[in-house]
Amino acid sequence: MMEQSKYLEGVEKKDLFAHGHRACGGCGQALAARLVHDAAGENTIACVATGCLEVFSSPYPDPAWRIPFLHSLFENPAAVASGVEAAYKALGKGPVNIIAQGGDGSTADIGFQCISGMFERGHNVLYVCYDNEAYMNTGVQRSSFTPYGARTTTTPTGNKTRKKNLPMIAADHGIPYVATATVDDFRDVQKKVKKALAIEGPKYIHILAPCPLGWGHPGELTVEVCRLAKDTGLFPVFEIVNGKVTNVRRIPVKLPVEEYLKVQGRFKHLFKKGVPTEEVAVIQEIANQNIERFNL
Amino acid sequence: MLKQIEGSHAVARVVSECRPNVISAYPITPQTHIVEELATIVGNGELEAEFVNVESEFSAASVVLGASAAGARAYTATTSQGLLLMSEVIYCIAGMRLPIVLTCANRAISAPLSIWNDQQDSMAVRDAGWIQLHAEDNQEAADLHIQAFKIAEKTFLPTMVCMDGFILTHAFEPVDIPEQKEVDDFLPPFKPKHIVDPRWPRGIGLFADPRFYMETRYILHRALEKSEETIKEVSSEFAKVFGRDSGGFIKTYKLKEADVAIVSMGSVVGTIKDMIDQLEEEGKKVGLLQICCYRPFPRHEVHKALEDKMNIVVLEKCISLGRGGILASDVRWSFPRAEKKDRNISSFVAGLGGRNISVDDLRYMVEKVEKEPAEFEFLGLKKELIAERDM
Amino acid sequence: MNKLPLGLALDLRNVVPYKTGSWRTLLPVNIMQTPPCSNACPAGNDIRGFLRTLAEKKDYEAAWHVLTRTNPLPATCGRVCPHPCEEGCNRRDFDTAVAINTAERAVGDYGLEENLEHKKLIASRKERVAVIGSGPAGLSCAFHLAKRGFHVKIYEAYGEPGGMMRYGIPSYRLPNYILRQELDNVLKLGIELECNVKVGVNIPMDQLVQTYDAVFVGIGAQKGLSIDITGDDAKNVFTGVDFLREVNSGKYVDVGKDVVVIGGGNTAMDCARVAKRLGANVSVVYRRTRIEMPAITAEIDEAMEERVMFRYHTNPVKIITDDDKVVGILSVQMELKEPDASGRARPVPIPGSESVIPADTVILATGQAVDYDGIEVQKRDGKWVAANENLMTSIDGIFAGGDAVLGLETVSAAVGQGTRAASAIEDYIEGNVESRLARPPVIYSRDLNTYYYQKKKRFEKEALPIHMRLKHFKEIYPPFDLEAIIDEAERCFSCGLCFNCGNCFMYCPDNAVKISPKTGLYEFDLDFCKGCGLCAKECPCHYIQMSLER
Ligand SMILES: Cc1cc2nc3c(=O)[nH]c(=O)nc-3n(C[C@H](O)[C@H](O)[C@H](O)COP(=O)(O)OP(=O)(O)OC[C@H]3O[C@@H](n4cnc5c(N)ncnc54)[C@H](O)[C@@H]3O)c2cc1C
Ligand SMILES: Cc1ncc(C[n+]2csc(CCOP(=O)(O)OP(=O)(O)O)c2C)c(N)n1
Ligand code: SF4
Ligand code: SF4
Ligand code: SF4
Ligand code: SF4
Ligand SMILES: [Mg+2]
């Protein structure tokens, strides 16, 4: 038997979110879901929102889940998880890891209220948002996490608004732990999940999970795209522990946003014959603001 | 022990005696007194339960869904807008076969805003797969909750106890609140069958493609139909233990001899019975068929009870706009197709948005159908308020 | 079909997963490639193999066995090889090449210290092979043949084996005891060695041809060539090769106060530095500039550090003698004109620029040639032994390799040729057509995903301070810290072969990379792989490539 690779020390691979799901090839969300649940381990209950993840992973009779899975609606995993937690408390069962989760649409838009309520009431639940920056399951429509300039089927000329900053909003609920992460850094994702689960109370982890279909990049670039998102400053990676921003991932070599934009079809219209339009400058400014704000 | 008590508090008391593990609710008139009282009971330690103060009815329903899926006995109460806001979850709860008990303090639905009683709200979710029990008075409302938990947990069907808002919830009446021990003896602890538990990983709420969806609906439909037995059984067991007739499928009042049979449900049957007594004195034979369980619909009972009635009138506090009486269509449907052509089933809608239903209104109704059947009519309508141009 | 469970709540313990493999249009495959280091290594060493063994297993013994699969002389090559492997190393495009040569020495020395022994692949067979010359070419050929069970006998003209490693390369670069130990270790495979026998002179070549099933000629280029210059017959005028042989044989050579070395190759550098250690002031006289000097850069640098004087653009005109004894050299300044046939700038004398350099000894390190005494084979360019690609000479059953064939080359080149010749001899004896496998393609840095590698300082070996070096002939590079070498080995990218980084395993969104229960290695689960290509893209060393579905 091969010894565990020394490069994978502290990394969990248990396939609790197993193969046989119907995600597109190279789906960042499928990858993220496995990383999260493998890190959490067997003693975990997954409460999942409607969205790509739920649809591609839970068809009867061959779902990809090997740990308890509970889905009811698009907007309510945080509330359902609250109920599970309340039941565990009331019945004196546990401890158990309860992970509520959903896409950006579920999290930022339709399920926002339930999440806010879950945070505010202080349930011992980890909420994970798989951010693929649009409603993918319904065919790539804009969400409030869709970044400026991105083309979706409901923003055919490019999105005109900026991404809602949910990590900060979450932190302002006074919850003990908030983190952002990207699927390229599996060590970081799993470290944050484990850290979060060790903390009592509500936690929020926001994972950038590229969607080859919606973003218009080949599946093989899912990891690379994450790196570009980080290294351009468009996706800051950090933790907020008890209200304080810490462990900010510093960008080793800052890249211009073009590097990120040009590998994705959803930003193609921002370049006319290869020349960046003024929207690109706006996006660069967004990156610059992130860099300054988080000292990336 | 007989107690002069507000309906809401009576319900809260018995719900507490049913020992729910998780209660989650959101305030809405006229349900508020129920959950306030429950909060007090939990707060003062009389009941050991998690009381989750959520930010909406949608979450309240979601919380009890999660709690029930995790093996807890779970309870919520709402009405009107709250129930509609829950409606998405209401369907889920039934589809997932979670035996949750919900009190619906029946109230009208906006717009225009009205906090007063009718039964449009519970009607709006009648097709969701829940058992719906309707209380006539506060004693029955209290009793039905004890039965509801037992029925739900035996059938794995969520159960809604409907009681008319204000008319019952806010009325002070003597109610016999059973002793805790009696309830404990009657209602065994909840034994869940399918829960989320890492020891036995299950997938709940899976996606069903066209190969499977139909069958899940068929199973749910049949389960509801078959819950008839349980509902009757629990009701008669209740009668045996507590010495009171509460619940069941249908009840009748002076129906056998009646020339005119009124079908209705909820608190209005009290007024109807008064009217029947009055008319009896005047020599008229009018009887009542009270629907105690609206879903599953007691089709065979209705048929049997009304088989020889040629003049039937259905009175209800809800309407299928653009169609007419809802209960009326249920009653019409209760007779097999090869029906006597000359049987009349009239349909009256009354009491919407808290409009009072007086004995006079009811007399008018009976007199009207004695002359000729009424296909469909609003009872107690103020014609002078209606502008033709808007219709 | 199973009945639907209550509420469609499915027991997840017995799920039969849905197979997504049919979605695939491209297929990930593991493809081992040749790393450029090995491609550039004349001895064909499995550099990636021994470095990864050090890095992953921290096991010097295993690394030694990997290295000695190709090269019987790692301690030697680890000292004297100009390491073209490092020129090729993909890591150069990232930061600096892996210190392959240093690691090779560390592993070689470990083998000697621990008395590690070579293992025979085939115990014994009846065929016999004669090897002429015990330089690296001959030794390597003998080594590989002996491992494969052949009876091998080496004939050596000099008193001790090793060829130029013994008599050419000075011991401050390659200590004699290291060489000796490494040679003995090779001979332990049962190789017979007879010294002081010059084939063609002491015994006729024909005799070998008749007695043995094959003969390997590894006679090197042992003859020092001098330029045609007046005064070269004076005492204290040596050819470079002769001078070094004298010193390396342990004889004391009185070089006097001033030594002039003529030439710009490695032999010239060694002569200069040896003379320096004998206490003289040394000048190297060269016609062109440093850039054109053929010697290994490091050798020139070290000579400069040791304060050898370099006179560029200088050409000796004649050796001035007094009473048959050298007193100086008359030289002329040169200027460089348009390139000659060799592509190097052509030096032309500047009229009237003559001057005299004082000299007690003059060393003419100006070339070497094959000593063909009694050995008759076809020649190439009139100088070198002609051999075909299987290293067979014009005579059936006689093979050749090393300097004699290549011209002046390196120890590792000679080792490589010895290895090749051994295979060719085996094929020849067994009557095989061609058993050598084609090498997989070379992988270059553009194919790597270097994101996963960290910048890390290269291990630089440290020489003794100059004043310590010049006092004696002791090796100038003391032994290395074994831990530091393991750290250095970890810098190796493992170009073109899995190094178990786990990326494919962790990144596959379909969990289609599994640990094979049979081999313990990663393998693709084609029932589930959707062919997205993520694993291939994120494999740091390009061991995974996407190919068309069969
Ligand atoms: C001064 C000097 C420094 C060098 N420095 C380096 C260096 O730093 N790094 C490097 O890689 N290379 C160096 N080289 C080159 C390297 O030593 C040679 O390329 C290599 O030794 C060639 O190996 P070979 O086996 O072909 O021949 P050789 O090493 O020349 O060995 C030939 C052997 O054959 C024997 N022989 C010859 N004729 C007969 C015969 N007829 N019968 C029996 N035996 C015979 C000789 O005695 C000798 O032992 C240097 C060479 C010299 C001269
Ligand atoms: C109440 C409700 N509205 C709309 C939908 C349709 N719907 C299902 S998934 C989805 C989008 C999901 O987007 P997101 O949460 O970002 O997840 P993704 O599919 O992108 O992973 C929508 C709009 C729904 N299921 N329920
Ligand atoms: S549409 Fe996007 S998020 Fe959905 S499965 Fe495909 S790649 Fe994943
Ligand atoms: S990194 Fe390693 S395998 Fe790659 S060329 Fe350099 S030494 Fe060879
Ligand atoms: S990704 Fe890593 S583990 Fe996978 S084949 Fe490449 S080197 Fe080996
Ligand atoms: S990452 Fe997985 S699914 Fe994609 S090509 Fe590799 S093995 Fe196949
Ligand atoms: Mg999304």
Side-chain angles (χ1 to χ4, degrees):
Chain A
M1 205 61 215
M2 178 158 70
E3 322 133 42
Q4 162 87 338
S5 163
K6 68 173 175 176
Y7 298 92
L8 299 184
E9 252 167 54
V11 169
E12 309 290 348
K13 178 81 160 59
K14 299 176 174 161
D15 293 3
L16 298 177
F17 180 83
H19 45 255
H21 58 72
R22 276 87 155 165
C24 308
C27 173
Q29 193 168 199
L31 170 53
R34 199 235 307 133
L35 294 176
V36 166
H37 296 96
D38 279 0
E42 286 84 352
N43 188 30
T44 303
I45 295 171
C47 299
V48 181
T50 311
C52 268
L53 172 62
E54 171 263 332
V55 171
F56 70 61
S57 70
S58 74
Y60 178 86
D62 39 25
W65 297 87
R66 301 292 176 265
I67 50 167
F69 164 89
L70 180 56
H71 156 257
S72 88
L73 291 166
F74 186 20
E75 57 273 53
N76 69 357
V80 169
S82 301
V84 171
E85 186 241 24
Y88 263 73
K89 263 198 201 159
L91 299 171
K93 299 209 310 185
V96 67
N97 302 317
I98 302 169
I99 306 182
Q101 50 203 293
D104 49 294
S106 174
T107 307
D109 298 338
I110 199 165
F112 186 51
Q113 174 184 312
C114 290
I115 294 166
S116 180
M118 187 272 275
F119 286 165
E120 170 274 323
R121 292 189 299 271
H123 293 278
N124 189 18
V125 170
L126 166 62
Y127 190 94
V128 175
C129 168
Y130 304 107
D131 182 7
N132 55 21
E133 304 193 320
Y135 300 154
M136 296 313 177
N137 188 48
T138 35
V140 198
Q141 296 86 11
R142 175 200 171 274
S143 81
S144 59
F145 276 179
T146 301
Y148 179 85
R151 176 138 64 187
T152 69
T153 53
T154 50
T155 53
T157 56
N159 186 36
K160 297 287 179 280
T161 55
R162 289 178 59 163
K163 208 173 153 129
K164 190 190 277 186
N165 194 340
L166 201 57
M168 288 314 194
I169 299 170
D172 281 345
H173 281 76
I175 65 175
Y177 186 76
V178 170
T180 65
T182 54
V183 289
D184 64 298
D185 195 344
F186 51 80
R187 292 172 188 83
D188 187 55
V189 170
Q190 295 203 326
K191 204 178 71 200
K192 285 172 175 168
V193 168
K194 287 185 188 172
K195 184 167 175 182
L197 289 172
I199 297 170
E200 183 77 20
K203 289 81 60 169
Y204 176 69
I205 299 183
H206 186 127
I207 303 177
L208 187 68
C211 163
L213 182 95
W215 293 15
H217 62 76
E220 61 169 14
L221 283 191
T222 287
V223 161
E224 178 69 18
V225 155
C226 283
R227 274 184 215 129
L228 292 172
K230 291 192 288 188
D231 289 350
T232 50
L234 286 171
F235 192 87
V237 171
F238 53 84
E239 290 178 300
I240 306 177
V241 180
N242 295 320
K244 279 212 184 65
V245 177
T246 63
N247 295 328
V248 176
R249 174 193 180 266
R250 290 288 162 76
I251 303 175
V253 182
K254 292 191 182 64
L255 299 176
V257 294
E258 278 103 291
E259 301 277 312
Y260 175 67
L261 304 178
K262 71 190 179 200
V263 296
Q264 301 176 51
R266 62 177 174 155
F267 295 115
K268 210 166 148 193
H269 61 289
L270 300 183
F271 299 87
K272 296 273 178 290
K273 293 198 176 113
V275 181
T277 59
E278 59 211 40
E279 269 101 346
V280 173
V282 176
I283 297 171
Q284 185 62 58
E285 186 47 33
I286 292 171
N288 294 348
Q289 285 169 10
N290 283 340
I291 289 169
E292 195 180 300
R293 177 169 186 194
F294 294 99
N295 191 16
L296 299 177
Chain B
M1 198 184 47
L2 219 50
K3 249 183 152 179
Q4 187 72 18
I5 189 169
E6 195 196 62
S8 296
H9 289 188
V11 167
R13 283 279 139 203
V14 292
V15 165
S16 159
E17 289 182 342
C18 293
R19 301 187 190 274
N21 306 109
V22 175
I23 301 166
S24 181
Y26 190 81
I28 179 165
T29 307
Q31 152 266 32
T32 39
H33 291 182
I34 302 175
V35 288
E36 283 167 6
E37 182 66 3
L38 274 167
T40 311
I41 294 169
V42 173
N44 64 24
E46 274 181 78
L47 171 65
E48 258 189 63
E50 285 296 314
F51 192 99
V52 186
N53 271 310
V54 283
E55 79 300 330
S56 70
E57 286 86 354
F58 179 79
S59 279
S62 302
V63 164
V64 291
L65 181 152
S68 180
R73 178 173 288 165
Y75 170 82
T76 185
T78 188
T79 173
S80 180
Q81 313 306 131
L83 186 62
L84 290 201
L85 186 55
M86 280 184 180
S87 60
E88 225 194 331
V89 191
I90 291 292
Y91 271 79
C92 274
I93 288 171
M96 295 161 90
R97 305 292 298 270
L98 300 174
I100 289 163
V101 170
L102 177 149
T103 308
C104 176
N106 289 104
R107 166 183 147 179
I109 282 173
S110 212
L113 181 65
S114 163
I115 59 166
W116 310 104
N117 166 250
D118 68 29
Q119 293 171 350
Q120 193 69 48
D121 50 0
S122 55
M123 275 300 162
V125 294
R126 66 183 172 170
D127 299 330
W130 285 56
I131 293 173
Q132 285 192 352
L133 307 175
H134 280 262
E136 175 185 348
D137 55 24
N138 284 345
Q139 183 64 61
E140 190 170 42
D143 294 347
L144 283 181
H145 281 89
I146 305 174
Q147 297 184 27
F149 279 106
K150 190 155 184 167
I151 295 165
E153 289 169 12
K154 277 190 154 186
T155 57
F156 288 94
L157 291 167
T159 302
M160 190 179 296
V161 179
C162 301
M163 63 192 290
D164 286 321
F166 287 112
I167 300 170
L168 295 185
T169 55
H170 287 56
F172 278 75
E173 283 173 15
V175 176
D176 186 352
I177 309 279
E179 296 298 318
Q180 178 69 58
K181 168 128 196 347
E182 292 175 290
V183 177
D184 285 346
D185 289 347
F186 181 78
L187 178 66
F190 174 35
K191 279 207 209 71
K193 264 196 200 162
H194 56 305
I195 57 168
V196 281
D197 187 323
R199 286 171 296 178
W200 306 282
R202 278 207 182 75
I204 306 184
L206 299 181
F207 180 105
D209 66 29
R211 290 174 299 164
F212 306 108
Y213 186 85
M214 278 266 283
E215 286 68 26
T216 68
R217 295 283 105 180
Y218 177 78
I219 292 167
L220 183 53
H221 174 65
R222 290 290 296 143
L224 266 161
E225 286 187 337
K226 281 168 67 186
S227 67
E228 171 185 343
E229 284 159 38
T230 313
I231 295 165
K232 287 180 184 164
E233 198 182 282
V234 169
S235 164
S236 53
E237 189 192 342
F238 187 88
K240 239 181 268 158
V241 173
F242 295 90
R244 268 195 305 280
D245 253 341
S246 285
F249 245 33
I250 58 165
K251 284 193 224 123
T252 57
Y253 185 70
K254 301 186 176 167
L255 187 62
K256 261 227 170 83
E257 310 299 319
D259 297 325
V260 177
I262 302 177
V263 183
S264 195
M265 59 188 187
S267 61
V268 75
V269 303
T271 321
I272 296 173
K273 283 184 200 163
D274 288 350
M275 185 227 20
I276 289 172
D277 293 348
Q278 281 185 20
L279 289 178
E280 192 180 33
E281 278 168 28
E282 296 165 21
K284 278 189 185 164
K285 283 188 256 169
V286 179
L288 169 71
L289 174 82
Q290 178 188 351
I291 304 290
C292 303
C293 171
Y294 178 63
R295 282 288 183 272
F297 192 74
R299 171 187 183 174
H300 300 294
E301 262 76 1
V302 169
H303 181 221
K304 220 163 72 205
L306 299 178
E307 203 162 18
D308 59 344
K309 305 297 165 205
M310 299 307 283
N311 205 355
I312 301 168
V313 50
V314 182
L315 176 72
E316 57 192 306
K317 290 187 183 175
C318 55
I319 175 169
S320 170
L321 294 167
R323 165 71 171 78
I326 304 172
L327 181 58
S329 16
D330 288 318
V331 171
R332 285 176 180 141
W333 162 84
S334 300
F335 297 98
R337 270 176 75 213
E339 249 302 287
K340 293 182 188 126
K341 286 258 167 54
D342 46 357
R343 191 199 302 277
N344 292 322
I345 302 177
S346 305
S347 169
F348 283 84
V349 164
L352 298 188
R355 175 70 50 88
N356 185 45
I357 304 174
S358 66
V359 172
D360 285 349
D361 290 335
L362 296 175
R363 290 181 73 119
Y364 159 82
M365 177 181 79
V366 171
E367 279 155 18
K368 169 128 204 213
V369 299
E370 275 172 344
K371 273 180 252 144
E372 56 175 329
E375 174 118 12
F376 178 63
E377 193 172 325
F378 270 66
L379 195 60
L381 207 57
K382 291 182 189 159
K383 297 251 168 56
E384 63 276 23
L385 295 181
I386 295 163
E388 283 296 321
R389 61 167 191 273
D390 293 338
M391 298 197 291
Chain C
M1 245 202 223
N2 290 335
K3 303 274 185 216
L4 301 181
L6 177 68
L8 210 64
L10 183 71
D11 187 333
L12 297 173
R13 285 168 298 185
N14 308 310
V15 170
V16 180
Y18 172 77
K19 294 192 176 168
T20 51
S22 59
W23 300 12
R24 192 175 53 233
T25 52
L26 290 177
L27 179 78
V29 281
N30 290 131
I31 298 183
M32 180 154 78
Q33 289 150 101
T34 305
C37 52
S38 285
N39 193 47
C41 171
N45 284 344
D46 179 6
I47 293 165
R48 176 181 62 198
F50 94 84
L51 288 176
R52 293 311 309 174
T53 305
L54 281 185
E56 273 160 45
K57 305 210 182 93
K58 307 196 188 312
D59 184 343
Y60 271 90
E61 181 167 343
W64 186 82
H65 284 294
V66 172
L67 210 37
T68 54
R69 271 207 298 267
T70 46
N71 186 352
L73 307 169
T76 302
C77 285
R79 287 172 165 82
V80 303
C81 183
H83 45 75
C85 54
E86 294 184 24
E87 300 292 310
C89 176
N90 278 334
R91 193 153 179 134
R92 281 182 63 188
D93 297 335
F94 186 69
D95 49 10
T96 46
V98 178
I100 302 168
N101 192 234
T102 305
E104 185 180 20
R105 174 181 149 181
V107 172
D109 285 359
Y110 182 90
L112 298 182
E113 237 150 72
E114 300 295 319
N115 291 314
L116 301 182
E117 283 181 19
H118 301 293
K119 292 183 188 116
K120 279 200 163 202
L121 304 173
I122 297 168
S124 177
R125 50 193 293 169
K126 59 180 196 310
E127 293 89 350
R128 296 156 53 85
V129 180
V131 171
I132 309 173
S134 64
L139 277 166
S140 161
C141 184
F143 170 80
H144 289 290
L145 288 171
K147 283 212 327 184
R148 286 174 228 175
F150 290 95
H151 291 279
V152 183
K153 177 162 181 181
I154 304 178
Y155 295 91
E156 168 56 49
Y158 284 103
E160 281 186 46
M164 281 304 186
M165 301 184 292
R166 172 68 186 83
Y167 292 109
I169 301 172
S171 59
Y172 60 87
R173 295 209 285 126
L174 174 61
N176 203 18
Y177 71 92
I178 295 281
L179 178 67
R180 186 71 228 188
Q181 243 184 301
E182 208 151 47
L183 295 187
D184 285 347
N185 207 358
V186 172
L187 296 177
K188 265 194 220 150
L189 282 167
I191 298 165
E192 236 184 290
L193 169 69
E194 194 178 347
C195 288
N196 298 314
V197 180
K198 192 167 184 189
V199 176
V201 176
N202 303 114
I203 53 169
M205 185 75 177
D206 283 353
Q207 189 183 319
L208 300 191
V209 175
Q210 278 154 23
T211 326
Y212 293 90
D213 295 280
V215 177
F216 176 74
V217 181
I219 55 178
Q222 290 281 325
K223 213 155 65 183
L225 292 181
S226 52
I227 42 170
D228 196 12
I229 184 169
T230 20
D232 64 355
D233 52 352
K235 247 172 64 192
N236 287 13
V237 175
F238 299 89
T239 66
V241 180
D242 289 342
F243 172 70
L244 290 171
R245 187 180 298 117
E246 292 290 290
V247 177
N248 283 338
S249 305
K251 290 189 195 132
Y252 177 70
V253 183
D254 182 4
V255 290
K257 202 156 70 46
D258 295 305
V259 173
V260 173
V261 179
I262 295 166
N266 285 327
T267 308
M269 295 308 114
D270 280 335
C271 291
R273 294 173 70 191
V274 165
K276 199 79 197 168
R277 281 166 175 75
L278 295 173
N281 299 318
V282 183
S283 313
V284 169
V285 168
Y286 185 56
R287 290 191 294 171
R288 299 179 175 91
T289 67
R290 162 150 191 184
I291 302 158
E292 288 88 16
M293 277 172 93
I296 301 165
T297 317
E299 297 289 315
I300 305 171
D301 288 344
E302 285 170 13
M304 282 181 164
E305 277 168 24
E306 292 169 8
R307 301 203 191 88
V308 170
M309 287 277 298
F310 284 80
R311 290 171 183 268
Y312 303 117
H313 291 302
T314 306
N315 207 28
V317 180
K318 92 179 219 221
I319 298 170
I320 308 169
T321 54
D322 181 16
D323 194 12
D324 200 24
K325 220 181 137 284
V326 178
V327 291
I329 270 195
L330 179 66
S331 64
V332 63
Q333 289 299 104
M334 309 292 276
E335 63 183 337
L336 292 181
K337 288 278 159 77
E338 61 282 1
D340 61 13
S342 76
R344 295 185 297 182
R346 188 168 54 90
V348 178
I350 303 173
S353 63
E354 287 82 0
S355 65
V356 173
I357 308 166
D360 299 310
T361 298
V362 170
I363 302 170
L364 300 169
T366 45
Q368 285 150 244
V370 183
D371 181 354
Y372 284 107
D373 225 356
I375 294 177
E376 272 159 44
V377 284
Q378 214 175 60
K379 297 185 184 102
R380 170 171 70 82
D381 299 339
K383 278 187 191 158
W384 314 110
V385 177
N388 68 12
E389 57 191 15
N390 289 327
L391 297 181
M392 199 186 318
T393 62
S394 52
I395 303 159
D396 186 61
I398 300 185
F399 294 78
D403 274 4
V405 169
L406 296 171
L408 304 186
E409 258 294 341
T410 59
V411 173
S412 54
V415 167
Q417 288 223 308
T419 311
R420 253 179 78 190
S423 297
I425 289 169
E426 186 182 31
D427 287 345
Y428 169 78
I429 289 174
E430 289 181 352
N432 296 338
V433 183
E434 168 83 64
S435 67
R436 263 179 298 132
L437 292 171
R439 265 197 172 180
V442 178
I443 172 173
Y444 294 105
S445 43
R446 61 169 179 269
D447 292 325
L448 302 172
N449 186 340
T450 54
Y451 182 87
Y452 297 97
Y453 301 116
Q454 264 92 52
K455 302 252 180 262
K456 199 165 143 195
K457 248 192 92 197
R458 171 184 154 105
F459 176 89
E460 295 294 354
K461 56 185 181 185
E462 250 176 72
L464 293 177
I466 316 287
H467 67 277
M468 304 258 301
R469 291 191 211 165
L470 294 182
K471 280 194 195 131
H472 45 58
F473 279 73
K474 268 206 205 119
E475 182 162 29
I476 71 170
Y477 291 104
F480 314 126
D481 171 18
L482 294 190
E483 283 299 316
I485 297 297
I486 286 175
D487 280 355
E488 179 62 18
E490 274 173 359
R491 292 179 73 234
C492 171
F493 287 167
S494 190
C495 309
L497 181 65
C498 175
F499 63 104
N500 197 12
C501 77
N503 274 0
C504 51
F505 185 57
M506 287 308 291
Y507 277 136
C508 174
D510 288 282
N511 304 8
V513 180
K514 302 263 176 247
I515 298 174
S516 157
K518 264 187 260 141
T519 61
L521 303 175
Y522 291 125
E523 67 178 13
F524 299 105
D525 188 340
L526 296 182
D527 280 346
F528 299 100
C529 165
K530 291 176 187 153
C532 70
L534 191 52
C535 54
K537 184 86 190 158
E538 299 308 326
C539 175
C541 62
H542 204 51
Y543 181 55
I544 306 174
Q545 291 178 32
M546 300 307 289
S547 81
L548 283 173
E549 188 84 43
R550 275 155 304 187

